Amino acid sequence: MEHVVTDPFIFRLSIFVLAVFVGYFVVWSVTPALHTPLMSVTNAISSVIVVGALLATGVDSISNGSTWARAFGFVALIFACVNIFGGFLVTQRMLAMYKKKAK
């Protein structure tokens, strides 16, 4: 019996596509009451991405890192920071919806 070897790129691409579909359906099925805690969790995940991006950007001080790793680390750092600050703004707006209005 022969073993079929799958290309690692195709394997990782299929996992990514599956994650996109699962993520889409999970996020859109969340009730509005749980949206704010979900945004807080995404901000926490983005902060972990910031730590990884900082490590990838400063990889020259650790080892002989490539320019591509530093460039992708910098882009990841920018995207994660935008996601964090945007998430905080959205969370503030959603929490403001639940405040009682002064008459």
Side-chain angles (χ1 to χ4, degrees):
M1 207 165 157
E2 288 185 40
H3 292 293
V4 178
V5 178
T6 306
D7 184 23
F9 175 75
I10 300 298
F11 181 72
R12 291 181 182 126
L13 181 67
S14 62
I15 290 175
F16 177 74
V17 170
L18 264 171
V20 167
F21 280 113
V22 168
Y24 175 79
F25 286 111
V26 166
V27 168
W28 284 108
S29 64
V30 170
T31 60
L34 294 178
H35 191 271
T36 303
L38 181 66
M39 286 299 295
S40 299
V41 170
T42 359
N43 288 339
I45 292 171
S46 291
S47 67
V48 172
I49 293 171
V50 165
V51 171
L54 285 172
L55 285 174
T57 304
V59 81
D60 257 355
S61 62
I62 299 170
S63 66
N64 293 336
S66 70
T67 307
W68 283 105
R70 295 183 69 194
F72 282 129
F74 182 72
V75 170
L77 181 65
I78 298 299
F79 283 155
C81 287
V82 167
N83 189 25
I84 289 172
F85 295 125
F88 281 129
L89 290 176
V90 169
T91 303
Q92 289 298 326
R93 286 188 69 185
M94 287 197 68
L95 290 175
M97 289 173 28
Y98 293 110
K99 286 184 181 176
K100 294 187 178 196
K101 296 179 183 177
K103 291 183 180 183

Coordinates of all heavy atoms in Angstrom, one line a residue:
M1 N 0.8 -1.2 0.0 CA 0.0 0.0 0.0 C 0.9 1.2 0.0 O 1.8 1.4 0.8 CB -0.9 0.0 1.3 CG -2.1 0.7 1.1 SD -3.1 0.2 2.5 CE -4.2 1.5 2.7
E2 N 0.6 2.2 -0.9 CA 1.4 3.4 -1.0 C 0.8 4.5 -0.1 O -0.4 4.6 0.0 CB 1.4 3.9 -2.4 CG 2.3 3.1 -3.3 CD 2.4 3.7 -4.7 OE1 2.5 4.9 -4.8 OE2 2.3 3.0 -5.7
H3 N 1.7 5.3 0.5 CA 1.2 6.4 1.2 C 1.2 7.7 0.3 O 2.1 7.9 -0.4 CB 2.2 6.7 2.4 CG 2.2 5.6 3.5 ND1 1.1 5.4 4.2 CD2 3.1 4.8 3.8 CE1 1.4 4.4 5.1 NE2 2.6 4.0 4.8
V4 N 0.1 8.4 0.4 CA -0.1 9.6 -0.4 C 0.5 10.7 0.4 O 0.1 10.9 1.6 CB -1.5 9.8 -0.8 CG1 -1.7 11.1 -1.5 CG2 -2.1 8.6 -1.5
V5 N 1.4 11.5 -0.1 CA 2.0 12.6 0.6 C 1.3 13.9 0.1 O 1.3 14.1 -1.1 CB 3.5 12.7 0.3 CG1 4.1 13.9 1.0 CG2 4.2 11.4 0.8
T6 N 0.8 14.6 1.0 CA 0.1 15.9 0.7 C 1.1 17.0 0.8 O 1.9 17.0 1.8 CB -1.1 16.1 1.6 OG1 -1.9 15.0 1.6 CG2 -1.8 17.4 1.2
D7 N 1.1 17.9 -0.1 CA 2.0 19.1 -0.1 C 1.6 19.9 1.2 O 0.5 20.1 1.4 CB 1.7 19.9 -1.4 CG 2.7 21.1 -1.5 OD1 3.7 21.0 -0.8 OD2 2.3 22.1 -2.2
P8 N 2.7 20.2 1.9 CA 2.4 21.0 3.2 C 1.7 22.3 2.9 O 0.9 22.7 3.8 CB 3.8 21.3 3.7 CG 4.7 20.2 3.1 CD 4.1 19.9 1.8
F9 N 1.9 23.0 1.8 CA 1.2 24.2 1.5 C -0.3 24.0 1.3 O -1.1 24.7 1.9 CB 1.8 24.8 0.2 CG 1.0 26.1 -0.2 CD1 1.2 27.3 0.5 CD2 0.1 26.0 -1.3 CE1 0.5 28.4 0.1 CE2 -0.6 27.2 -1.6 CZ -0.4 28.3 -1.0
I10 N -0.7 22.9 0.6 CA -2.1 22.6 0.4 C -2.7 22.2 1.8 O -3.9 22.6 2.1 CB -2.3 21.4 -0.6 CG1 -1.7 21.8 -1.9 CG2 -3.7 21.0 -0.7 CD1 -2.4 23.0 -2.6
F11 N -2.0 21.5 2.6 CA -2.5 21.1 3.9 C -2.8 22.4 4.8 O -3.8 22.5 5.4 CB -1.5 20.2 4.6 CG -1.9 19.7 6.0 CD1 -2.9 18.8 6.1 CD2 -1.3 20.2 7.1 CE1 -3.3 18.3 7.3 CE2 -1.7 19.8 8.3 CZ -2.7 18.8 8.5
R12 N -1.8 23.3 4.8 CA -2.0 24.5 5.6 C -3.0 25.4 5.0 O -3.8 26.0 5.8 CB -0.6 25.2 5.7 CG 0.3 24.5 6.6 CD 1.7 25.2 6.7 NE 2.6 24.4 7.5 CZ 3.8 24.0 7.1 NH1 4.2 24.5 5.9 NH2 4.6 23.3 7.8
L13 N -3.1 25.5 3.7 CA -4.2 26.3 3.1 C -5.6 25.8 3.4 O -6.5 26.5 3.7 CB -3.9 26.3 1.6 CG -4.9 27.2 0.8 CD1 -4.8 28.6 1.1 CD2 -4.8 26.9 -0.7
S14 N -5.7 24.4 3.4 CA -7.0 23.9 3.7 C -7.4 24.2 5.2 O -8.6 24.4 5.5 CB -7.1 22.4 3.4 OG -6.1 21.7 4.2
I15 N -6.4 24.1 6.1 CA -6.7 24.5 7.5 C -7.1 25.9 7.6 O -8.0 26.3 8.3 CB -5.5 24.1 8.4 CG1 -5.3 22.6 8.5 CG2 -5.6 24.8 9.8 CD1 -4.1 22.2 9.2
F16 N -6.4 26.8 6.9 CA -6.7 28.2 6.9 C -8.2 28.5 6.4 O -8.9 29.2 7.0 CB -5.7 29.0 6.1 CG -6.0 30.5 6.0 CD1 -5.8 31.3 7.1 CD2 -6.5 31.0 4.8 CE1 -6.1 32.7 7.0 CE2 -6.8 32.4 4.7 CZ -6.6 33.2 5.8
V17 N -8.5 27.8 5.3 CA -9.9 28.0 4.7 C -10.9 27.5 5.7 O -12.0 28.2 5.9 CB -10.0 27.3 3.3 CG1 -11.4 27.3 2.8 CG2 -9.1 28.0 2.3
L18 N -10.7 26.4 6.3 CA -11.6 25.9 7.3 C -11.8 26.8 8.5 O -12.9 27.1 8.9 CB -11.1 24.5 7.8 CG -11.7 23.3 7.1 CD1 -11.0 22.0 7.6 CD2 -13.2 23.2 7.4
A19 N -10.6 27.4 8.9 CA -10.7 28.3 10.0 C -11.5 29.6 9.7 O -12.2 30.1 10.5 CB -9.3 28.7 10.5
V20 N -11.3 30.0 8.4 CA -12.1 31.2 8.0 C -13.6 30.9 8.0 O -14.4 31.7 8.6 CB -11.7 31.6 6.6 CG1 -12.6 32.6 6.0 CG2 -10.3 32.2 6.6
F21 N -14.0 29.8 7.5 CA -15.4 29.5 7.5 C -16.0 29.3 9.0 O -17.0 29.8 9.3 CB -15.7 28.2 6.7 CG -15.8 28.5 5.2 CD1 -14.8 27.9 4.4 CD2 -16.8 29.2 4.7 CE1 -14.8 28.2 3.1 CE2 -16.8 29.5 3.3 CZ -15.8 28.9 2.5
V22 N -15.2 28.6 9.8 CA -15.7 28.3 11.2 C -15.7 29.7 11.9 O -16.7 30.0 12.6 CB -14.8 27.3 11.9 CG1 -15.0 27.3 13.4 CG2 -14.9 25.9 11.3
G23 N -14.7 30.5 11.7 CA -14.7 31.8 12.4 C -15.8 32.7 12.0 O -16.5 33.4 12.8
Y24 N -16.1 32.7 10.7 CA -17.3 33.5 10.2 C -18.6 33.1 10.8 O -19.3 33.9 11.3 CB -17.3 33.3 8.6 CG -18.5 34.0 8.0 CD1 -18.5 35.4 7.8 CD2 -19.7 33.3 7.7 CE1 -19.6 36.0 7.3 CE2 -20.8 33.9 7.2 CZ -20.7 35.3 6.9 OH -21.8 35.9 6.4
F25 N -18.8 31.8 10.8 CA -20.1 31.3 11.4 C -20.2 31.5 12.9 O -21.2 31.7 13.5 CB -20.4 29.9 11.0 CG -20.8 29.7 9.5 CD1 -20.0 29.1 8.6 CD2 -22.0 30.3 9.1 CE1 -20.3 29.1 7.3 CE2 -22.4 30.2 7.8 CZ -21.5 29.6 6.9
V26 N -19.0 31.3 13.6 CA -19.0 31.5 15.0 C -19.3 33.0 15.4 O -20.1 33.3 16.3 CB -17.7 31.0 15.6 CG1 -17.5 31.5 17.1 CG2 -17.6 29.5 15.6
V27 N -18.6 33.9 14.7 CA -18.8 35.3 15.0 C -20.2 35.8 14.7 O -20.8 36.6 15.5 CB -17.7 36.1 14.3 CG1 -18.0 37.6 14.4 CG2 -16.3 35.8 14.9
W28 N -20.7 35.4 13.6 CA -22.1 35.9 13.2 C -23.2 35.3 14.0 O -24.3 35.7 13.9 CB -22.3 35.7 11.7 CG -21.5 36.8 11.0 CD1 -20.4 36.6 10.2 CD2 -21.8 38.2 10.9 NE1 -20.0 37.8 9.7 CE2 -20.8 38.8 10.1 CE3 -22.7 39.0 11.5 CZ2 -20.7 40.1 9.9 CZ3 -22.7 40.4 11.3 CH2 -21.7 40.9 10.4
S29 N -22.9 34.1 14.7 CA -24.0 33.5 15.5 C -24.0 34.0 16.9 O -24.8 33.6 17.7 CB -23.9 32.0 15.4 OG -22.7 31.6 16.0
V30 N -23.1 34.9 17.3 CA -23.0 35.4 18.7 C -24.1 36.4 18.9 O -24.4 37.3 18.1 CB -21.6 36.1 18.9 CG1 -21.6 36.9 20.2 CG2 -20.5 35.1 18.8
T31 N -24.8 36.3 20.0 CA -25.9 37.2 20.4 C -25.3 38.6 20.7 O -24.1 38.7 21.1 CB -26.7 36.7 21.6 OG1 -25.8 36.6 22.7 CG2 -27.3 35.4 21.3
P32 N -26.0 39.6 20.5 CA -25.5 41.0 20.8 C -25.0 41.2 22.2 O -24.1 41.9 22.5 CB -26.6 41.9 20.5 CG -27.5 41.2 19.5 CD -27.3 39.7 19.9
A33 N -25.6 40.5 23.2 CA -25.2 40.6 24.6 C -23.8 40.1 24.8 O -23.1 40.5 25.7 CB -26.2 39.9 25.5
L34 N -23.3 39.1 24.0 CA -22.0 38.6 24.2 C -21.0 39.2 23.3 O -19.8 38.8 23.3 CB -22.1 37.1 23.9 CG -22.9 36.2 24.8 CD1 -22.9 34.8 24.4 CD2 -22.3 36.3 26.2
H35 N -21.4 40.2 22.5 CA -20.4 40.8 21.5 C -19.3 41.5 22.2 O -18.2 41.5 21.8 CB -21.2 41.7 20.6 CG -20.3 42.1 19.4 ND1 -19.6 43.3 19.5 CD2 -20.1 41.6 18.2 CE1 -18.9 43.4 18.3 NE2 -19.2 42.4 17.6
T36 N -19.6 42.3 23.3 CA -18.6 43.1 24.0 C -17.6 42.2 24.7 O -16.4 42.4 24.5 CB -19.3 44.0 25.0 OG1 -20.2 44.8 24.3 CG2 -18.3 44.9 25.7
P37 N -18.0 41.1 25.4 CA -16.9 40.2 25.9 C -16.1 39.5 24.8 O -14.9 39.3 25.0 CB -17.7 39.1 26.7 CG -19.0 39.8 27.0 CD -19.3 40.7 25.9
L38 N -16.7 39.3 23.7 CA -16.0 38.7 22.6 C -15.0 39.6 22.0 O -13.8 39.3 21.7 CB -17.0 38.3 21.4 CG -16.4 37.6 20.2 CD1 -15.8 36.2 20.6 CD2 -17.4 37.5 19.1
M39 N -15.3 40.9 22.0 CA -14.3 41.9 21.5 C -13.2 42.0 22.5 O -12.0 42.2 22.1 CB -15.0 43.3 21.4 CG -15.9 43.4 20.2 SD -15.1 43.2 18.6 CE -14.0 44.6 18.7
S40 N -13.4 41.9 23.8 CA -12.4 41.9 24.8 C -11.4 40.8 24.6 O -10.2 40.9 24.7 CB -12.9 41.9 26.2 OG -13.8 43.0 26.4
V41 N -11.9 39.6 24.3 CA -11.1 38.4 24.0 C -10.3 38.6 22.8 O -9.1 38.3 22.7 CB -12.0 37.1 23.9 CG1 -11.1 36.0 23.4 CG2 -12.6 36.8 25.2
T42 N -10.8 39.2 21.7 CA -10.1 39.5 20.5 C -9.0 40.5 20.8 O -7.9 40.4 20.2 CB -11.0 40.0 19.4 OG1 -12.3 40.1 19.8 CG2 -10.9 39.1 18.2
N43 N -9.2 41.5 21.6 CA -8.2 42.4 22.0 C -7.0 41.7 22.7 O -5.9 42.0 22.5 CB -8.7 43.5 22.8 CG -9.6 44.5 22.0 OD1 -9.5 44.5 20.8 ND2 -10.4 45.2 22.7
A44 N -7.4 40.7 23.6 CA -6.3 40.0 24.3 C -5.5 39.1 23.3 O -4.3 39.0 23.4 CB -7.0 39.1 25.3
I45 N -6.2 38.5 22.4 CA -5.5 37.7 21.4 C -4.6 38.6 20.5 O -3.4 38.3 20.2 CB -6.5 36.9 20.5 CG1 -7.2 35.9 21.3 CG2 -5.8 36.3 19.3 CD1 -8.3 35.2 20.6
S46 N -5.0 39.8 20.2 CA -4.2 40.7 19.4 C -3.0 41.2 20.2 O -1.9 41.4 19.6 CB -5.0 41.9 19.0 OG -6.0 41.6 18.0
S47 N -3.1 41.3 21.5 CA -1.9 41.6 22.3 C -0.9 40.6 22.3 O 0.3 40.8 22.3 CB -2.4 42.0 23.7 OG -2.8 40.8 24.4
V48 N -1.3 39.3 22.2 CA -0.3 38.2 22.0 C 0.3 38.3 20.7 O 1.5 38.1 20.6 CB -1.0 36.8 22.2 CG1 -0.1 35.7 21.9 CG2 -1.6 36.7 23.7
I49 N -0.4 38.7 19.7 CA 0.1 38.8 18.3 C 1.2 40.0 18.3 O 2.2 39.9 17.7 CB -1.0 39.1 17.3 CG1 -1.8 37.9 17.1 CG2 -0.4 39.5 15.9 CD1 -3.1 38.1 16.3
V50 N 0.9 41.0 19.1 CA 1.8 42.1 19.2 C 3.2 41.7 19.8 O 4.2 42.0 19.3 CB 1.3 43.3 20.0 CG1 2.3 44.3 20.4 CG2 0.2 44.0 19.2
V51 N 3.1 40.8 20.8 CA 4.3 40.3 21.4 C 5.1 39.5 20.4 O 6.3 39.6 20.2 CB 4.0 39.4 22.6 CG1 5.3 38.7 23.1 CG2 3.5 40.3 23.7
G52 N 4.4 38.6 19.6 CA 5.1 37.8 18.6 C 5.7 38.7 17.5 O 6.8 38.4 17.0
A53 N 4.9 39.7 17.1 CA 5.4 40.6 16.0 C 6.6 41.4 16.5 O 7.5 41.7 15.7 CB 4.3 41.6 15.6
L54 N 6.6 41.8 17.8 CA 7.8 42.5 18.3 C 9.0 41.6 18.3 O 10.1 42.0 18.0 CB 7.5 43.0 19.7 CG 6.6 44.3 19.8 CD1 6.3 44.6 21.2 CD2 7.3 45.5 19.2
L55 N 8.8 40.3 18.6 CA 9.9 39.4 18.6 C 10.4 39.2 17.1 O 11.6 39.1 16.9 CB 9.5 38.1 19.2 CG 9.4 38.0 20.7 CD1 8.8 36.7 21.1 CD2 10.7 38.3 21.3
A56 N 9.5 39.1 16.2 CA 9.9 38.9 14.8 C 10.6 40.2 14.2 O 11.5 40.1 13.4 CB 8.7 38.6 13.9
T57 N 10.1 41.3 14.7 CA 10.7 42.6 14.2 C 12.1 42.8 14.8 O 13.0 43.2 14.1 CB 9.9 43.8 14.6 OG1 8.5 43.6 14.0 CG2 10.4 45.1 14.0
G58 N 12.3 42.4 16.0 CA 13.6 42.6 16.6 C 14.5 41.3 16.6 O 15.3 41.1 17.4
V59 N 14.2 40.5 15.6 CA 14.9 39.2 15.5 C 16.4 39.3 15.3 O 17.2 38.4 15.6 CB 14.2 38.3 14.4 CG1 14.7 38.6 13.1 CG2 14.4 36.8 14.8
D60 N 16.9 40.4 14.7 CA 18.3 40.6 14.5 C 19.1 40.6 15.8 O 20.2 40.2 15.8 CB 18.5 42.0 13.8 CG 18.8 41.8 12.3 OD1 18.9 40.6 11.9 OD2 18.9 42.8 11.6
S61 N 18.5 41.2 16.8 CA 19.2 41.2 18.1 C 19.3 39.8 18.7 O 20.1 39.6 19.6 CB 18.5 42.2 19.1 OG 17.2 41.7 19.3
I62 N 18.4 38.9 18.3 CA 18.4 37.5 18.9 C 19.3 36.6 18.0 O 20.1 35.8 18.5 CB 17.0 37.0 19.0 CG1 16.2 37.9 19.9 CG2 17.0 35.6 19.5 CD1 14.7 37.6 19.9
S63 N 19.1 36.6 16.7 CA 19.8 35.7 15.8 C 19.9 36.4 14.4 O 19.5 37.5 14.3 CB 19.1 34.4 15.7 OG 17.8 34.5 15.1
N64 N 20.3 35.6 13.5 CA 20.4 36.1 12.1 C 19.1 36.0 11.4 O 18.9 35.2 10.6 CB 21.5 35.4 11.3 CG 22.9 35.6 11.9 OD1 23.1 36.6 12.5 ND2 23.8 34.7 11.6
G65 N 18.2 36.9 11.7 CA 16.9 36.9 11.1 C 16.9 37.5 9.7 O 17.6 38.4 9.4
S66 N 16.0 37.0 8.9 CA 15.9 37.5 7.5 C 15.2 38.8 7.5 O 14.4 39.2 8.4 CB 15.3 36.5 6.6 OG 13.9 36.4 6.9
T67 N 15.4 39.6 6.4 CA 14.6 40.8 6.2 C 13.1 40.6 6.1 O 12.3 41.4 6.5 CB 15.2 41.5 5.0 OG1 16.6 41.7 5.1 CG2 14.6 42.9 4.8
W68 N 12.8 39.4 5.4 CA 11.4 39.1 5.3 C 10.7 38.9 6.6 O 9.6 39.4 6.8 CB 11.2 37.8 4.5 CG 11.4 38.0 3.0 CD1 12.5 37.7 2.3 CD2 10.5 38.7 2.1 NE1 12.4 38.0 1.0 CE2 11.1 38.7 0.8 CE3 9.3 39.3 2.2 CZ2 10.5 39.2 -0.3 CZ3 8.7 39.8 1.1 CH2 9.3 39.8 -0.1
A69 N 11.4 38.2 7.5 CA 10.8 38.0 8.9 C 10.5 39.3 9.6 O 9.5 39.6 10.2 CB 11.7 37.1 9.7
R70 N 11.5 40.2 9.5 CA 11.4 41.6 10.1 C 10.2 42.3 9.4 O 9.5 43.0 10.1 CB 12.7 42.3 10.0 CG 13.8 41.6 10.8 CD 15.0 42.4 10.9 NE 14.8 43.6 11.6 CZ 15.6 44.6 11.6 NH1 16.7 44.6 10.9 NH2 15.3 45.7 12.4
A71 N 10.1 42.3 8.1 CA 9.1 43.0 7.4 C 7.7 42.5 7.8 O 6.8 43.3 8.0 CB 9.3 43.0 5.9
F72 N 7.5 41.2 7.7 CA 6.3 40.6 8.1 C 5.9 40.9 9.6 O 4.8 41.1 9.9 CB 6.2 39.1 7.8 CG 6.0 38.8 6.3 CD1 6.8 37.9 5.7 CD2 5.0 39.4 5.6 CE1 6.7 37.6 4.4 CE2 4.8 39.1 4.3 CZ 5.6 38.2 3.6
G73 N 6.9 40.8 10.4 CA 6.7 41.2 11.8 C 6.2 42.6 12.0 O 5.3 42.9 12.8
F74 N 6.8 43.5 11.2 CA 6.4 44.9 11.3 C 5.0 45.1 10.8 O 4.1 45.8 11.4 CB 7.3 45.8 10.5 CG 7.0 47.3 10.6 CD1 7.2 48.0 11.7 CD2 6.5 47.9 9.5 CE1 6.9 49.3 11.8 CE2 6.1 49.2 9.6 CZ 6.4 50.0 10.7
V75 N 4.6 44.4 9.7 CA 3.2 44.5 9.2 C 2.3 43.9 10.2 O 1.2 44.5 10.4 CB 3.2 43.8 7.8 CG1 1.7 43.7 7.4 CG2 4.0 44.6 6.8
A76 N 2.6 42.8 10.8 CA 1.8 42.2 11.8 C 1.6 43.1 13.0 O 0.5 43.2 13.6 CB 2.3 40.8 12.2
L77 N 2.7 43.8 13.4 CA 2.6 44.7 14.5 C 1.6 45.8 14.2 O 0.8 46.2 15.0 CB 4.0 45.3 14.8 CG 4.1 46.2 15.9 CD1 3.8 45.5 17.2 CD2 5.5 46.8 16.0
I78 N 1.7 46.4 13.0 CA 0.8 47.5 12.6 C -0.7 47.0 12.6 O -1.6 47.6 13.2 CB 1.2 48.1 11.2 CG1 2.6 48.7 11.3 CG2 0.1 49.1 10.7 CD1 2.7 49.8 12.2
F79 N -0.9 45.9 12.0 CA -2.3 45.3 11.9 C -2.9 45.0 13.3 O -4.0 45.3 13.6 CB -2.4 44.1 11.0 CG -2.4 44.4 9.5 CD1 -1.9 43.4 8.6 CD2 -2.8 45.6 9.0 CE1 -1.9 43.7 7.3 CE2 -2.7 45.9 7.7 CZ -2.3 44.9 6.8
A80 N -2.1 44.4 14.1 CA -2.5 44.0 15.5 C -2.8 45.3 16.3 O -3.8 45.3 17.0 CB -1.5 43.2 16.2
C81 N -2.0 46.3 16.2 CA -2.2 47.6 16.9 C -3.5 48.2 16.4 O -4.3 48.7 17.2 CB -1.1 48.5 16.8 SG 0.4 48.0 17.7
V82 N -3.7 48.3 15.1 CA -5.0 48.8 14.6 C -6.2 48.0 15.1 O -7.2 48.6 15.5 CB -5.0 48.9 13.0 CG1 -6.3 49.1 12.5 CG2 -4.0 49.9 12.6
N83 N -6.0 46.7 15.1 CA -7.1 45.9 15.6 C -7.4 46.1 17.1 O -8.6 46.2 17.5 CB -6.8 44.4 15.4 CG -7.9 43.5 15.7 OD1 -9.1 43.9 15.6 ND2 -7.6 42.2 16.0
I84 N -6.4 46.3 17.9 CA -6.5 46.5 19.3 C -7.2 47.8 19.6 O -8.3 47.9 20.3 CB -5.2 46.5 20.1 CG1 -4.7 45.0 20.1 CG2 -5.3 47.0 21.5 CD1 -3.3 44.9 20.7
F85 N -6.7 48.9 19.0 CA -7.3 50.2 19.2 C -8.7 50.3 18.6 O -9.6 50.9 19.2 CB -6.4 51.3 18.7 CG -5.1 51.4 19.4 CD1 -3.9 51.3 18.7 CD2 -5.0 51.5 20.8 CE1 -2.7 51.3 19.4 CE2 -3.8 51.5 21.5 CZ -2.7 51.5 20.8
G86 N -8.9 49.7 17.5 CA -10.3 49.7 16.9 C -11.2 48.9 17.7 O -12.4 49.3 17.9
G87 N -10.8 47.8 18.3 CA -11.6 47.0 19.2 C -12.0 47.7 20.4 O -13.1 47.6 20.9
F88 N -11.1 48.5 21.0 CA -11.4 49.3 22.2 C -12.4 50.4 21.8 O -13.4 50.6 22.6 CB -10.2 49.9 22.8 CG -9.4 49.0 23.6 CD1 -8.0 48.9 23.4 CD2 -10.0 48.3 24.6 CE1 -7.3 48.0 24.2 CE2 -9.2 47.4 25.4 CZ -7.9 47.2 25.2
L89 N -12.3 51.0 20.7 CA -13.3 52.0 20.3 C -14.7 51.4 20.1 O -15.7 52.0 20.5 CB -12.8 52.7 19.0 CG -11.6 53.6 19.1 CD1 -11.2 54.2 17.7 CD2 -11.9 54.8 20.0
V90 N -14.7 50.2 19.4 CA -16.0 49.6 19.2 C -16.6 49.1 20.6 O -17.8 49.3 20.8 CB -15.8 48.4 18.3 CG1 -17.1 47.5 18.3 CG2 -15.5 48.8 16.9
T91 N -15.8 48.6 21.5 CA -16.3 48.2 22.8 C -16.8 49.4 23.6 O -17.9 49.3 24.2 CB -15.1 47.6 23.6 OG1 -14.6 46.5 22.8 CG2 -15.6 47.1 24.9
Q92 N -16.1 50.6 23.5 CA -16.6 51.8 24.2 C -18.0 52.2 23.6 O -18.9 52.6 24.3 CB -15.6 52.9 24.0 CG -14.4 52.7 24.9 CD -14.7 52.6 26.3 OE1 -15.6 53.3 26.8 NE2 -13.9 51.8 27.1
R93 N -18.1 52.1 22.3 CA -19.4 52.5 21.7 C -20.5 51.6 22.1 O -21.6 52.0 22.3 CB -19.3 52.6 20.1 CG -18.5 53.8 19.7 CD -18.5 53.9 18.2 NE -19.9 54.3 17.8 CZ -20.3 54.4 16.5 NH1 -19.4 54.1 15.6 NH2 -21.5 54.7 16.2
M94 N -20.2 50.3 22.1 CA -21.2 49.3 22.5 C -21.6 49.5 24.0 O -22.8 49.4 24.3 CB -20.8 47.9 22.2 CG -20.7 47.6 20.8 SD -20.6 45.8 20.5 CE -22.2 45.3 21.1
L95 N -20.6 49.7 24.8 CA -21.0 49.9 26.3 C -21.8 51.2 26.4 O -22.6 51.3 27.3 CB -19.7 50.0 27.1 CG -19.0 48.6 27.2 CD1 -17.7 48.8 28.0 CD2 -19.9 47.6 28.0
A96 N -21.5 52.2 25.6 CA -22.3 53.5 25.7 C -23.8 53.2 25.3 O -24.6 54.0 25.8 CB -21.7 54.5 24.8
M97 N -24.0 52.2 24.5 CA -25.4 51.9 24.2 C -26.2 51.5 25.4 O -27.4 51.6 25.4 CB -25.5 50.9 23.1 CG -25.0 51.4 21.7 SD -24.9 50.1 20.5 CE -26.1 48.9 20.9
Y98 N -25.5 50.8 26.3 CA -26.3 50.3 27.5 C -26.4 51.3 28.6 O -27.0 51.0 29.6 CB -25.5 49.0 28.0 CG -25.6 47.9 27.0 CD1 -24.5 47.5 26.3 CD2 -26.8 47.2 26.7 CE1 -24.6 46.4 25.4 CE2 -26.9 46.2 25.8 CZ -25.8 45.8 25.1 OH -25.8 44.8 24.2
K99 N -25.7 52.4 28.5 CA -25.9 53.4 29.6 C -27.2 54.1 29.5 O -27.8 54.3 28.4 CB -24.8 54.5 29.4 CG -23.4 54.0 29.8 CD -22.4 55.1 29.8 CE -21.0 54.6 30.1 NZ -20.0 55.7 30.0
K100 N -27.7 54.4 30.7 CA -29.0 55.1 30.7 C -28.9 56.5 30.3 O -27.9 57.2 30.8 CB -29.7 55.0 32.1 CG -30.0 53.6 32.5 CD -30.8 53.5 33.8 CE -31.1 52.1 34.0 NZ -32.1 52.0 35.0
K101 N -29.7 57.0 29.5 CA -29.7 58.4 29.1 C -30.2 59.3 30.1 O -31.3 59.1 30.8 CB -30.4 58.6 27.8 CG -29.8 57.8 26.6 CD -30.6 58.0 25.4 CE -30.0 57.1 24.3 NZ -30.7 57.1 23.1
A102 N -29.6 60.5 30.3 CA -30.1 61.5 31.3 C -31.3 62.2 30.7 O -31.2 62.6 29.5 CB -29.0 62.5 31.6
K103 N -32.3 62.4 31.5 CA -33.5 63.1 31.0 C -33.5 64.5 31.3 O -32.9 65.0 32.2 CB -34.7 62.4 31.6 CG -34.9 61.0 31.1 CD -36.2 60.4 31.6 CE -36.4 59.0 31.1 NZ -37.6 58.5 31.5

